Amino acid sequence: MAKNTNVVFDAKPVLKALNELQPDLRKQMLREMKAITKPTINKIKDVIPSTAPMSGMSVARTRTSMDDRKFNNNGEGRLSWTGGKYKNRVISPDNVIPRFSSGRSRKAAVTSLFGIWLRSPGVAMVATAGKGSGRAKYATTREYPYKGGVRRHRNNGQGEALIRKVKSSGLYNFFYKAGEATVPGMESEVKLVWEKYSKTVNRRLG
Protein backbone atom coordinates (compact mmCIF):
# COMPACT_ATOMS: atom_id res chain seq x y z
CA MET A 1 0.00 0.00 0.00
CA ALA A 2 1.37 3.44 -0.95
CA LYS A 3 2.06 5.81 1.91
CA ASN A 4 -0.05 8.99 1.89
CA THR A 5 2.46 11.84 1.85
CA ASN A 6 -0.22 14.30 2.96
CA VAL A 7 -0.67 12.57 6.31
CA VAL A 8 1.46 13.43 9.34
CA PHE A 9 1.49 10.17 11.27
CA ASP A 10 2.75 11.46 14.62
CA ALA A 11 2.99 15.20 15.27
CA LYS A 12 3.75 15.12 18.98
CA PRO A 13 7.47 14.13 18.78
CA VAL A 14 8.16 17.03 16.42
CA LEU A 15 6.28 19.50 18.63
CA LYS A 16 8.10 18.23 21.71
CA ALA A 17 11.44 18.57 19.94
CA LEU A 18 10.62 22.13 18.85
CA ASN A 19 9.94 23.09 22.45
CA GLU A 20 13.17 21.46 23.60
CA LEU A 21 15.26 23.12 20.91
CA GLN A 22 13.75 26.56 21.30
CA PRO A 23 10.35 27.30 22.89
CA ASP A 24 9.60 30.07 20.41
CA LEU A 25 9.92 27.75 17.39
CA ARG A 26 6.52 26.14 17.95
CA LYS A 27 4.88 29.55 18.44
CA GLN A 28 6.57 30.82 15.28
CA MET A 29 5.28 27.83 13.30
CA LEU A 30 1.71 28.41 14.53
CA ARG A 31 1.92 32.12 13.66
CA GLU A 32 2.93 31.22 10.11
CA MET A 33 0.08 28.73 9.79
CA LYS A 34 -2.44 31.22 11.16
CA ALA A 35 -1.32 33.84 8.64
CA ILE A 36 -1.94 31.35 5.81
CA THR A 37 -5.55 30.79 6.94
CA LYS A 38 -6.43 34.49 7.27
CA PRO A 39 -7.75 35.00 3.67
CA THR A 40 -10.05 31.97 4.01
CA ILE A 41 -11.25 33.09 7.43
CA ASN A 42 -12.07 36.54 6.05
CA LYS A 43 -14.10 34.97 3.22
CA ILE A 44 -16.10 32.94 5.73
CA LYS A 45 -16.68 35.97 7.97
CA ASP A 46 -17.98 37.96 4.99
CA VAL A 47 -20.86 35.53 4.38
CA ILE A 48 -22.04 35.17 7.99
CA PRO A 49 -25.32 37.13 8.37
CA SER A 50 -25.20 39.82 11.05
CA THR A 51 -28.81 39.10 12.05
CA ALA A 52 -30.44 35.82 13.05
CA PRO A 53 -32.15 33.86 10.23
CA MET A 54 -34.91 32.85 12.67
CA SER A 55 -36.62 35.30 15.04
CA GLY A 56 -36.33 32.82 17.91
CA MET A 57 -32.54 33.06 17.73
CA SER A 58 -32.39 36.83 18.20
CA VAL A 59 -30.87 38.28 21.36
CA ALA A 60 -33.89 40.33 22.40
CA ARG A 61 -37.40 39.15 21.71
CA THR A 62 -40.81 39.72 23.32
CA ARG A 63 -43.79 37.44 23.61
CA THR A 64 -47.25 37.77 25.13
CA SER A 65 -48.38 35.35 27.80
CA MET A 66 -51.90 34.08 28.46
CA ASP A 67 -52.76 37.02 30.70
CA ASP A 68 -51.42 39.52 28.12
CA ARG A 69 -48.41 40.49 30.21
CA LYS A 70 -45.23 41.01 28.22
CA PHE A 71 -41.78 40.08 29.31
CA ASN A 72 -38.35 40.30 27.74
CA ASN A 73 -36.23 37.25 27.05
CA ASN A 74 -32.56 38.18 26.96
CA GLY A 75 -31.92 35.48 24.35
CA GLU A 76 -28.57 34.61 25.84
CA GLY A 77 -29.01 30.90 25.36
CA ARG A 78 -26.28 28.79 23.86
CA LEU A 79 -27.79 28.97 20.35
CA SER A 80 -28.61 32.67 20.30
CA TRP A 81 -27.24 34.32 17.14
CA THR A 82 -25.43 37.31 18.63
CA GLY A 83 -25.50 36.17 22.26
CA GLY A 84 -24.61 32.51 21.80
CA LYS A 85 -22.38 31.04 24.47
CA TYR A 86 -19.49 28.63 24.46
CA LYS A 87 -18.15 27.62 27.88
CA ASN A 88 -20.25 30.44 29.42
CA ARG A 89 -18.67 33.13 27.25
CA VAL A 90 -20.68 35.11 24.68
CA ILE A 91 -19.41 34.41 21.16
CA SER A 92 -20.12 36.80 18.26
CA PRO A 93 -21.56 35.21 15.09
CA ASP A 94 -18.46 36.06 13.02
CA ASN A 95 -16.02 34.56 15.50
CA VAL A 96 -13.99 32.34 13.20
CA ILE A 97 -10.50 31.28 14.24
CA PRO A 98 -7.70 28.92 13.16
CA ARG A 99 -7.05 26.00 15.49
CA PHE A 100 -4.07 23.68 15.78
CA SER A 101 -4.49 20.20 17.21
CA SER A 102 -1.87 17.53 17.82
CA GLY A 103 -4.30 15.12 19.47
CA ARG A 104 -5.78 12.12 17.73
CA SER A 105 -9.51 11.97 17.04
CA ARG A 106 -11.37 9.05 18.60
CA LYS A 107 -13.96 9.11 15.82
CA ALA A 108 -12.08 9.91 12.60
CA ALA A 109 -9.33 7.85 10.97
CA VAL A 110 -7.40 11.03 10.16
CA THR A 111 -7.23 14.02 12.51
CA SER A 112 -6.80 17.51 11.08
CA LEU A 113 -3.53 19.03 12.24
CA PHE A 114 -4.68 22.57 11.54
CA GLY A 115 -8.20 23.75 10.82
CA ILE A 116 -10.68 26.61 10.88
CA TRP A 117 -13.23 26.73 13.69
CA LEU A 118 -16.64 28.40 13.47
CA ARG A 119 -17.03 29.08 17.20
CA SER A 120 -20.62 30.33 17.61
CA PRO A 121 -22.84 27.29 18.41
CA GLY A 122 -25.91 28.88 16.81
CA VAL A 123 -24.12 29.82 13.59
CA ALA A 124 -22.50 26.39 13.36
CA MET A 125 -25.88 24.70 13.85
CA VAL A 126 -27.54 26.79 11.12
CA ALA A 127 -24.68 26.18 8.70
CA THR A 128 -25.14 22.41 8.96
CA ALA A 129 -28.92 22.24 9.46
CA GLY A 130 -29.97 21.86 5.83
CA LYS A 131 -29.07 18.22 5.36
CA GLY A 132 -32.07 16.43 6.87
CA SER A 133 -35.83 16.85 6.71
CA GLY A 134 -36.21 18.18 10.27
CA ARG A 135 -39.13 15.86 10.99
CA ALA A 136 -38.77 14.43 14.45
CA LYS A 137 -38.86 10.65 14.92
CA TYR A 138 -40.13 10.97 18.49
CA ALA A 139 -42.64 13.23 20.22
CA THR A 140 -40.15 14.19 22.93
CA THR A 141 -36.39 14.43 23.25
CA ARG A 142 -34.19 12.12 25.24
CA GLU A 143 -33.47 13.12 28.82
CA TYR A 144 -30.53 15.49 29.19
CA PRO A 145 -28.77 17.17 32.16
CA TYR A 146 -30.32 20.46 33.28
CA LYS A 147 -29.54 22.56 36.38
CA GLY A 148 -28.43 19.64 38.49
CA GLY A 149 -31.20 17.33 37.31
CA VAL A 150 -32.53 15.94 34.06
CA ARG A 151 -35.37 16.94 31.78
CA ARG A 152 -36.83 16.38 28.33
CA HIS A 153 -38.91 18.62 26.07
CA ARG A 154 -41.46 18.22 23.31
CA ASN A 155 -40.34 18.16 19.69
CA ASN A 156 -42.49 20.95 18.28
CA GLY A 157 -41.36 21.23 14.66
CA GLN A 158 -38.86 24.05 15.14
CA GLY A 159 -36.14 21.97 13.51
CA GLU A 160 -38.22 21.50 10.36
CA ALA A 161 -38.86 25.24 10.08
CA LEU A 162 -35.16 25.98 10.58
CA ILE A 163 -34.10 23.53 7.88
CA ARG A 164 -36.59 25.03 5.40
CA LYS A 165 -35.23 28.50 6.17
CA VAL A 166 -31.61 27.39 5.84
CA LYS A 167 -32.25 25.71 2.49
CA SER A 168 -34.29 28.61 1.04
CA SER A 169 -31.74 31.24 2.10
CA GLY A 170 -28.70 29.32 0.85
CA LEU A 171 -27.08 29.14 4.30
CA TYR A 172 -26.53 25.39 4.25
CA ASN A 173 -22.76 24.72 4.33
CA PHE A 174 -22.11 28.41 3.65
CA PHE A 175 -18.70 28.30 5.33
CA TYR A 176 -17.50 25.43 3.12
CA LYS A 177 -18.77 27.20 0.01
CA ALA A 178 -17.05 30.45 1.02
CA GLY A 179 -13.70 28.84 1.68
CA GLU A 180 -13.52 25.87 -0.67
CA ALA A 181 -11.75 27.74 -3.49
CA THR A 182 -8.83 28.63 -1.22
CA VAL A 183 -8.62 25.33 0.68
CA PRO A 184 -6.25 23.41 -1.67
CA GLY A 185 -3.69 26.23 -1.70
CA MET A 186 -4.06 26.77 2.03
CA GLU A 187 -3.50 23.07 2.76
CA SER A 188 -0.38 23.02 0.58
CA GLU A 189 1.09 26.08 2.29
CA VAL A 190 0.38 24.74 5.78
CA LYS A 191 2.01 21.44 4.80
CA LEU A 192 5.13 23.29 3.58
CA VAL A 193 5.36 25.14 6.89
CA TRP A 194 5.08 21.86 8.79
CA GLU A 195 7.77 20.26 6.62
CA LYS A 196 10.09 23.24 7.13
CA TYR A 197 9.95 22.92 10.91
CA SER A 198 10.15 19.12 10.78
CA LYS A 199 13.39 19.44 8.79
CA THR A 200 14.70 21.88 11.39
CA VAL A 201 14.17 19.23 14.06
CA ASN A 202 15.78 16.51 11.94
CA ARG A 203 18.84 18.63 11.17
CA ARG A 204 19.44 19.55 14.82
CA LEU A 205 18.73 16.14 16.29
CA GLY A 206 19.86 13.93 13.42
Side-chain angles (χ1 to χ4, degrees):
M1 184 182 293
K3 185 176 180 179
N4 187 345
T5 58
N6 291 316
V7 175
V8 177
F9 288 92
D10 196 354
K12 288 185 177 180
V14 173
L15 298 175
K16 182 180 178 181
L18 285 173
N19 280 331
E20 290 174 350
L21 288 170
Q22 187 179 330
D24 287 343
L25 281 178
R26 174 174 172 154
K27 293 179 181 179
Q28 185 177 327
M29 180 187 73
L30 294 182
R31 280 197 297 268
E32 291 182 28
M33 288 182 174
K34 287 178 180 179
I36 291 168
T37 64
K38 189 169 291 186
T40 302
I41 287 175
N42 289 338
K43 286 181 179 294
I44 294 172
K45 286 184 175 183
D46 287 344
V47 298
I48 297 177
S50 58
T51 56
M54 302 285 285
S55 60
M57 298 178 73
S58 60
V59 171
R61 61 188 190 269
T62 304
R63 75 180 186 188
T64 305
S65 62
M66 294 286 288
D67 60 1
D68 205 36
R69 290 181 300 178
K70 293 185 177 181
F71 67 94
N72 290 323
N73 185 330
N74 62 17
E76 292 183 354
R78 186 169 184 267
L79 299 177
S80 170
W81 195 258
T82 54
K85 292 183 177 181
Y86 178 74
K87 293 184 178 179
N88 292 323
R89 295 182 62 184
V90 175
I91 306 295
S92 64
D94 64 347
N95 191 315
V96 184
I97 62 171
R99 185 166 66 170
F100 181 86
S101 175
S102 61
R104 185 179 180 87
S105 172
R106 294 180 180 179
K107 297 179 181 179
V110 178
T111 306
S112 296
L113 188 67
F114 201 85
I116 294 175
W117 185 21
L118 188 63
R119 294 191 71 212
S120 169
V123 177
M125 180 190 69
V126 166
T128 56
K131 186 176 181 180
S133 66
R135 290 187 290 274
K137 292 182 179 179
Y138 306 101
T140 60
T141 66
R142 294 178 180 177
E143 288 186 344
Y144 55 91
Y146 182 74
K147 293 184 177 180
V150 294
R151 75 171 182 178
R152 64 174 69 213
H153 65 263
R154 183 172 60 88
N155 287 319
N156 56 11
Q158 286 177 315
E160 189 173 355
L162 175 62
I163 288 174
R164 285 200 305 268
K165 180 69 175 181
V166 168
K167 286 181 176 179
S168 65
S169 61
L171 286 173
Y172 176 55
N173 267 355
F174 71 84
F175 54 95
Y176 287 124
K177 295 173 186 174
E180 65 181 350
T182 61
V183 166
M186 180 180 64
E187 288 179 341
S188 297
E189 290 184 54
V190 168
K191 184 170 179 283
L192 287 173
V193 170
W194 172 260
E195 289 175 349
K196 179 177 71 173
Y197 284 90
S198 296
K199 288 177 181 177
T200 299
V201 169
N202 291 335
R203 281 197 303 270
R204 296 194 184 184
L205 300 181

